[in-house]
Amino acid sequence: MEHQDLVDKNEESVESIEKVNNTEDQDKMNEVEGVKSELVNVDESKDLQSETSSIQEVQGSNSKGSEAEIRVNTNGQEYSGDKEGSNGDCEPERLEPNLDKEKDDRRDMESAHMNEKVDEVLGEDHNMEPVFDGTEVPGLEGLRITSTRKQDGDQESPRMVEKAVALKNFVKEKSAVAVSTMLRRLSGRRGEGDLGNFDDEGKDISDPSKEGESTVAEKGGQKSAWNPLNYIKKSSDVDGENKTEQGDSVNENPNIPIDMKGRIILYSKLGCQESKEIRLFLRAKRLRFVEINLDVYPSREKELEKFSGSTSVPKVYFNEILIGGLSELKTLKESGNLDEKIDFLIGEAPLFEAPQPPLSGEDDDSSSGAIDEFAVIVRKMKESIPVKDRFHKMRRFTNCFLGSEAVDFLSEDQYLERPEAVEFGRKLASKLFFYHVLDENIFEDGNHLYRFLDDDPIVASQCYNIPKGIATVKPKPIAEIASRLRFLSYAMFEAYVFEDGRRVDYTSLHASGEFARYLRTVEELQRVEIWDMSREEKLAFFINLYNMMAIHAILVLGHASGAMERRKLFGEFKYVIGGSSYSLSAIQNGILRGNQRPPYNLKKPFGSKDRRLKVALPYPEPLIHFALVCGSRSGPALRCYSPGKIDEELTDAARNFLRSGGILIDLAAKDASANKILKWYSIDFGKSEVEVLKHVSNYLDPSNSEVLLDMLATSEFKVTYQPYEWGLNA
């Protein structure tokens, strides 16, 4: 009878656990969308099965309880190992089954289980961001059919249902952990069973001997022995290395500039055709130069007039010697005197009177502006109230402060009553200085936890545009910042990107004054207001920012040669924009594609309660794929985009990309060979392969477009996809 009572009690416990799990987990999982919710449900099912198995084992062993609480003596009698007798000694004692203790054990199990769920759902953005790293995962092709476009009822064919069932079975068979691990580790560098060993920050510590090889440049200006520019140089030398392996004699690599003590200065202006030709001339001679663009540095116009007697451009200086323009360079070459001048540069350093490269911050107004009185108060508040790690809802949150502590400070510092101090705190929070750790409210008095923006763990570890401390300059309008970024991008692309837009001089760009000014300008984005931007403004701003951000990431992290490196490049290099962090993947798939899942991924970039969702475009913009440049050789050409002409410029970019090898048509073989971008993001162009090709035919030459449409009409054609070259566009 006692045994049966205990069994009944355990069965009730199982039902109680199921009820708690189903009720609590349902509330927490409402935020998780699509296939991700299925993954979590699979995990929960496995956890519940594990718990049920544990309870059944307790039943099978006649409910002996935990070893710490119940012992069995040598005669088979049960006694409590922790219970003391009346004399203070621990003596064997027969016990009745302690149902209350069993109930406590079950309650502990429920608490531990829910703690795991809180860890999983209410974590501090520990979930990996969905990123496409170039790896095509077999079995997940069906994910590409998901779109915001309205599907007609008759389009839901049995094939689509089969794909959905296949995906569900795939997830169940492999389990959530296996699928997640597979998506993270498809780089081919580890054995199938080698899962690696990672510390709390995600760094691989499985092989300490390789630690120095994988160390990247620290944020905040701290340097390491690893230099990403060296890696960029190696990537650009691939062709030369291949020739060497084939036995060709390569005495000098044409991509490496001549090492010289002297300095070449080029004075130029934006849009100057002769300046473009001089750049090509100097690069062909492997001569590195410093460009002083008078549109970027207007104060240098007086210097040029003083040195040369004129402000006309272009003008080239070899050290302190004025050479002149393009015609003078060609004359030197034809006369044979150019080599003598180059030898002079190799051996002689410039004199003091020679033109100097631009100084950091020269003619730069980005850091100037009115003082933000709110920022001054917040800076003082951060220095005054305790900011430390705290526990809340069974989780530890780093670098937090209590709402009551902030109210205490504001009441004393601003001479406010507590209700007035709360209102003032809400105004500070609306200015994006701090936020609730779980986004439960804007700001309230009491034991609510808040965190300053620059103390956010993601911002501190992965965002590269946030300065140390709180900036005291009042945020400028987004239109002004976007205009300056567009101007700087235009200047850098003209000076350091080759004529076809497909190759970048990363080393010269990294050392330029324009890039230094760009880094200072993007720091202004941390508290900017971006909610009211129009579609055209968002397209131009985020495309330009993506392209420059990718260059910045390559200069910091180095060229991403494998899937794992690309995952880091696209998902872990971020900017703070309007109080939220954005990766390259979040900009592309979350903003510009209308919050679509990246190819071969199981979740969308932004959840239903994500603040960034308000910034996302309402639907995917297919032509952005011909404008976004991630640094690969198979990508489109670099150029700048403006809000007023964004649709015209995107159309021109699509024509340029597709007519320059983006799609090749072989009429004889009835074959269309397309760039893999059209495969990976096909859902943005159409519901089927035929619709995708019809879409892109609008941007081909009229003759090729007609041929392609004729092929599609006869249905006697095949589509192949070109191998995607991930090599660096240097």
Side-chain angles (χ1 to χ4, degrees), residues 673-725:
S673 176
N675 188 290
K676 274 198 173 181
I677 290 176
L678 297 177
K679 175 184 179 182
W680 295 333
Y681 301 98
S682 60
I683 193 60
D684 294 352
F685 298 92
K687 300 174 184 177
S688 65
E689 209 166 52
V690 172
E691 287 191 12
V692 172
L693 294 179
K694 285 183 178 179
H695 189 123
V696 301
S697 67
N698 296 317
Y699 307 101
L700 299 177
D701 290 325
S703 57
N704 287 334
S705 177
E706 185 177 351
V707 169
L708 179 59
L709 292 175
D710 289 341
M711 288 172 52
L712 295 176
T714 60
S715 299
E716 296 179 0
F717 73 97
K718 62 179 179 179
V719 180
T720 58
Y721 293 97
Q722 307 158 6
Y724 196 87
E725 291 189 51

Side-chain angles (χ1 to χ4, degrees), residues 322-438:
L322 173 62
I323 300 299
L326 181 63
S327 59
E328 287 78 8
L329 284 172
K330 289 182 176 179
T331 301
L332 281 176
K333 180 182 177 182
E334 293 169 359
S335 64
N337 294 327
L338 182 61
D339 291 337
E340 180 181 342
K341 297 292 184 181
I342 294 175
D343 291 338
F344 164 72
L345 288 172
I346 293 175
E348 296 292 335
L351 299 177
F352 178 77
E353 55 266 23
Q356 300 294 318
L359 301 175
S360 179
E362 184 176 345
D363 290 337
D364 183 12
D365 297 329
S366 60
S367 59
S368 62
I371 297 296
D372 190 348
E373 295 179 357
F374 291 127
V376 175
I377 295 172
V378 172
R379 175 178 286 188
K380 185 178 179 181
M381 182 173 79
K382 187 174 182 180
E383 296 171 351
S384 302
I385 64 176
V387 176
K388 59 184 180 180
D389 298 355
R390 302 173 191 266
F391 284 90
H392 178 63
K393 293 186 178 181
M394 297 180 290
R395 279 202 57 81
R396 182 173 68 91
F397 293 90
T398 60
N399 298 328
C400 302
F401 62 90
L402 294 176
S404 59
E405 296 169 344
V407 172
D408 291 340
F409 168 81
L410 294 174
S411 298
E412 181 179 350
D413 186 72
Q414 299 296 309
Y415 305 103
L416 301 172
E417 297 293 334
R418 293 193 76 83
E420 296 174 331
V422 172
E423 286 299 323
F424 192 81
R426 289 173 183 163
K427 182 177 291 187
L428 295 179
S430 67
K431 298 291 184 181
L432 306 176
F433 288 106
F434 53 80
Y435 62 93
H436 191 282
V437 294
L438 295 178

Side-chain angles (χ1 to χ4, degrees), residues 107-156:
R107 191 176 289 120
D108 291 342
M109 185 183 299
E110 295 171 24
S111 177
H113 179 74
M114 293 311 302
N115 192 14
E116 292 176 0
K117 291 304 171 189
V118 173
D119 251 3
E120 182 177 324
V121 180
L122 301 180
E124 299 186 62
D125 200 15
H126 289 314
N127 293 329
M128 293 189 65
E129 183 169 341
V131 173
F132 176 58
D133 56 17
T135 303
E136 299 179 14
V137 183
L140 297 185
E141 291 88 347
L143 291 177
R144 294 186 292 110
I145 66 173
T146 306
S147 175
T148 56
R149 301 183 183 189
K150 185 176 180 180
Q151 303 275 349
D152 296 331
D154 57 356
Q155 295 293 329
E156 191 169 341

Side-chain angles (χ1 to χ4, degrees), residues 278-307:
I278 289 179
R279 295 185 196 106
L280 293 175
F281 182 92
L282 295 176
R283 285 170 182 152
K285 292 295 182 179
R286 300 191 296 123
L287 298 173
R288 191 176 299 283
F289 57 92
V290 176
E291 185 162 347
I292 301 178
N293 191 314
L294 297 183
D295 292 320
V296 180
Y297 302 100
S299 64
R300 291 299 188 102
E301 195 166 5
K302 293 182 179 180
E303 175 189 74
L304 178 60
E305 184 177 14
K306 176 183 177 182
F307 286 153

Side-chain angles (χ1 to χ4, degrees), residues 183-209:
L183 293 177
R184 287 197 304 264
R185 295 185 53 258
L186 286 174
S187 65
R189 292 193 172 189
R190 298 180 182 271
E192 288 184 79
D194 183 8
L195 297 180
N197 187 14
F198 299 89
D199 62 10
D200 293 338
E201 297 180 358
K203 297 179 181 178
D204 191 347
I205 57 175
S206 56
D207 187 355
S209 64

